[in-house]
């Protein structure tokens, strides 16, 4: 698609969306429509002498490999700060201007959403590559952190619409083998994007050590990730006789997590979606045995162990979810994905067994390999509580 706008002070062509962002730095970039606005001969001559290739060579001389370069699909904040970093702050022309996200250590205050009351309160955050952690403190002068997040499990993704603030960032990490969500923001957009890129930098350096010899093309997609899809669906239980309940769903790689509220700290449950080679499939309808009132557009996910039933409010939602599931199912599974599923089952069993006073000392002596031994592992302990097997079925 050909651009229809240009900055006649920078000498670059821009898309319609970015033309509005360039107006935010009008002291540096002045834009005109190529089709609707008059152009002087000197303006035409200047833009012809510069152009996007030459401007890129000038303003993007030293972009760090880990720095997130947004596309048209990204939120306004990321695109706005990318433009400001290039042309206003000239961060990629002078390496010393990259210190806020390149130093390996970052400390500051962010507004964090409370897990129980939903209020946003100022919390001190520290990111340290030397320790390999991101941590936050409930009080600015506290000596012990409230939470310690290992860089190896951290992900960050901007979620302004979901969180309800323009600079909203969702950070996830593993806590006791379960995914924990926290939601933060800062009034200063640059501050938030610097935190985001500092997390990416820490992840990048961690992965370079963890996978020596891996190329940037292999490492960069692993720094942070956006979710494949999110939104509301209705679901029913494993017997297919329970009523359908509205839940918020997040598709993160092969994990379909569901929440009562989009901003819940933990998922209510999780469905692992494997590949077609492992007998997973998705169908655009519900079985005739489905009971209860539900939205009209059904989806059935078929796994080796059971069927999961969902319902969408509109046909458009159904098609969109079907496409997302099909992408995942058509993709062959990686060894780490088998391990991820295995750990989720074990985590679920351990959580359920805690309430049932089950002794799991023997668990560490059991070597589990997917898929055959995992059923043996569950059956070893299912006699201890009827809830153990019932609750783990959603993960298997």
């Amino acid at each position: 698609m050909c651009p229809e706008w240009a900055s006649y002070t920078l000498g670059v062509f821009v898309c319609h969306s970015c033309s509005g962002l360039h107006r935010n730095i009008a002291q540096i970039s002045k834009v005109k429509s190529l089709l609707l606005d008059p152009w002087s001969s000197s303006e035409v001559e200047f833009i012809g002498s510069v152009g996007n290739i030459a401007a890129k060579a000038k303003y993007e001389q030293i972009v760090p490999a880990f720095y997130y370069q947004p596309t048209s699909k990204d939120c306004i904040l990321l695109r706005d700060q990318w433009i400001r970093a290039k042309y206003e702050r000239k961060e990629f022309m002078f390496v010393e201007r990259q210190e806020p996200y390149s130093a390996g250590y970052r400390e500051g205050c962010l507004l964090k959403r409370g897990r129980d009351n939903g209020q946003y309160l100022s919390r001190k955050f520290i990111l340290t590559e030397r320790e390999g952690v991101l941590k936050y403190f409930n009080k600015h002068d506290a000596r012990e952190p409230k939470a310690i997040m290992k860089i190896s499990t951290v992900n960050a993704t901007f979620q302004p619409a979901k969180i309800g603030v323009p600079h909203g960032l969702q950070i996830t990490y593993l806590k006791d083998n379960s995914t924990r969500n926290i939601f933060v923001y800062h009034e200063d957009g640059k501050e938030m994007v610097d935190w985001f890129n500092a997390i990416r930098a820490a992840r990048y350096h961690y992965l370079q050590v963890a996978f020596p010899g891996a190329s940037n093309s292999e490492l960069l997609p692993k720094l942070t990730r956006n979710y494949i899809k999110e939104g509301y669906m209705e679901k029913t239980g494993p017997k297919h006789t329970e009523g359908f309940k509205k839940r918020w769903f997040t598709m993160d790689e092969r994990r379909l997590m569901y929440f009562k509220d989009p901003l819940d700290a933990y998922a209510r449950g999780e469905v692992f979606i494997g590949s077609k080679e492992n007998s997973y499939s998705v169908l655009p309808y519900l079985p005739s045995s489905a009971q209860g009132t539900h939205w009209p557009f059904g989806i059935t996910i078929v796994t080796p162990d059971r069927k999961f039933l969902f319902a969408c409010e509109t046909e458009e939602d159904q098609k969109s979810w079907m496409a997302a599931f099909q992408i995942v199912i058509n993709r062959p599974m990686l060894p780490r994905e088998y391990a991820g599923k295995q750990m989720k089952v074990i985590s679920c069993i351990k959580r359920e067994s805690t309430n049932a006073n089950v002794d799991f000392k023997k668990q560490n002596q059991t070597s589990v390999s997917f898929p055959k031994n995992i059923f043996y592992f569950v059956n070893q302990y299912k006699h201890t509580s009827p809830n153990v097997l019932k609750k783990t079925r959603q993960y298997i």
Side-chain angles (χ1 to χ4, degrees):
M1 185 176 180
C2 296
E4 297 182 354
W5 295 78
S7 169
Y8 61 89
T9 53
L10 293 174
V12 296
F13 297 94
V14 298
C15 67
H16 175 72
S17 178
C18 287
S19 69
L21 300 177
H22 275 257
R23 289 192 178 95
N24 293 336
I25 52 171
Q27 72 280 11
I28 296 169
S29 180
K30 299 184 183 298
V31 296
K32 284 185 177 183
S33 168
L34 299 177
L35 303 177
L36 303 177
D37 294 323
W39 286 76
S40 68
S41 58
S42 61
E43 291 168 346
V44 173
E45 183 178 348
F46 175 71
I47 201 167
S49 67
V50 182
N52 290 50
I53 295 177
K56 182 181 179 71
K58 176 183 178 181
Y59 292 104
E60 299 181 32
Q61 294 177 33
I62 44 175
V63 181
F66 60 79
Y67 195 97
Y68 188 80
Q69 300 185 37
T71 70
S72 59
K73 296 181 180 179
D74 284 300
C75 65
I76 291 177
L77 174 64
L78 280 170
R79 292 184 285 123
D80 177 65
Q81 287 301 315
W82 168 247
I83 289 170
R84 290 180 180 274
K86 279 203 299 183
Y87 302 120
E88 185 179 50
R89 299 190 293 267
K90 297 182 173 62
E91 290 179 14
F92 312 126
M93 297 174 65
F94 305 97
V95 69
E96 63 271 15
R97 298 183 183 181
Q98 300 172 11
E99 185 176 354
Y101 44 81
S102 297
Y105 181 90
R106 184 174 177 84
E107 180 176 333
C109 293
L110 298 174
L111 291 164
K112 175 189 170 292
R113 185 179 189 274
R115 171 181 169 180
D116 299 319
N117 58 21
Q119 293 182 340
Y120 283 91
L121 298 174
S122 180
R123 297 289 184 255
K124 183 174 76 172
F125 281 76
I126 294 178
L127 173 69
T128 165
E129 288 188 20
R130 183 176 60 82
E131 297 177 26
V133 298
L134 171 66
K135 47 192 175 183
Y136 78 86
F137 302 77
N138 270 352
K139 295 182 179 180
H140 296 181
D141 59 352
R143 303 183 67 176
E144 296 297 325
K146 174 65 175 178
I148 299 176
M149 301 161 254
K150 293 183 179 179
I151 291 299
S152 58
T153 71
V154 165
N155 183 51
T157 178
F158 279 100
Q159 298 271 29
K162 178 179 175 180
I163 298 174
V165 291
H167 306 159
L169 185 72
Q170 179 176 349
I171 299 174
T172 63
Y173 65 101
L174 283 184
K175 182 178 180 180
D176 300 326
N177 289 322
S178 294
T179 299
R180 169 76 159 95
N181 300 315
I182 65 171
F183 303 93
V184 298
Y185 78 96
H186 195 284
E187 295 291 350
D188 186 344
K190 179 183 183 299
E191 183 77 8
M192 282 312 307
V193 174
D194 283 349
W195 271 105
F196 177 65
N197 281 300
I199 291 172
R200 286 177 59 86
R203 291 271 303 159
Y204 179 62
H205 297 141
Y206 158 76
L207 290 170
Q208 282 183 314
V209 175
F211 302 97
S215 65
N216 277 348
S217 62
E218 295 172 301
L219 296 181
L220 295 183
K222 296 181 174 64
L223 302 189
T224 55
R225 63 187 182 276
N226 294 326
Y227 299 128
I228 296 174
K229 183 169 174 58
E230 287 192 293
Y232 282 108
M233 289 193 293
E234 292 181 331
K235 69 171 288 294
T236 186
K239 295 181 179 179
H240 302 171
T241 57
E242 302 91 335
F244 278 76
K245 295 181 179 179
K246 182 180 176 181
R247 293 289 182 259
W248 177 267
F249 285 82
T250 296
M251 188 75 204
D252 184 14
E253 296 185 312
R254 292 193 180 275
R255 299 160 59 219
L256 180 65
M257 297 174 283
Y258 56 90
F259 306 79
K260 187 174 182 180
D261 184 90
L263 302 184
D264 282 346
Y266 291 98
R268 288 289 182 105
E270 185 173 314
V271 178
F272 181 88
I273 300 180
S275 66
K276 58 185 178 183
E277 288 82 6
N278 296 106
S279 302
Y280 287 80
S281 61
V282 58
L283 305 172
Y285 52 80
L286 297 176
S288 57
S289 59
Q291 300 181 22
T293 304
H294 53 76
W295 283 338
F297 301 95
I299 295 176
T300 300
I301 294 179
V302 181
T303 78
D305 186 60
R306 59 167 279 197
K307 295 179 179 179
F308 293 88
L309 309 186
F310 308 99
C312 300
E313 188 172 17
T314 68
E315 186 176 10
E316 182 181 357
D317 286 344
Q318 181 200 44
K319 290 180 179 179
S320 181
W321 277 108
M322 285 287 299
F325 293 144
Q326 204 64 62
I327 288 172
V328 174
I329 288 172
N330 288 341
R331 191 176 68 219
M333 285 182 62
L334 303 173
R336 65 177 176 82
E337 292 175 325
Y338 285 108
K341 174 176 179 178
Q342 174 180 312
M343 288 305 298
K344 180 53 65 180
V345 175
I346 294 172
S347 172
C348 175
I349 296 172
K350 290 174 72 177
R351 287 202 309 272
E352 291 304 316
S353 66
T354 299
N355 296 328
N357 297 319
V358 179
D359 183 3
F360 267 80
K361 292 181 179 179
K362 286 170 39 180
Q363 178 236 306
N364 292 329
Q365 303 169 11
T366 306
S367 177
V368 184
S369 61
F370 180 88
K372 189 177 296 183
N373 286 349
I374 209 160
F375 295 100
Y376 169 78
F377 181 87
V378 174
N379 288 330
Q380 284 290 95
Y381 298 98
K382 68 179 182 180
H383 65 278
T384 59
S385 167
N387 287 328
V388 171
L389 187 58
K390 176 182 176 182
K391 291 292 185 180
T392 54
R393 285 190 185 281
Q394 62 185 310
Y395 300 96
I396 298 177

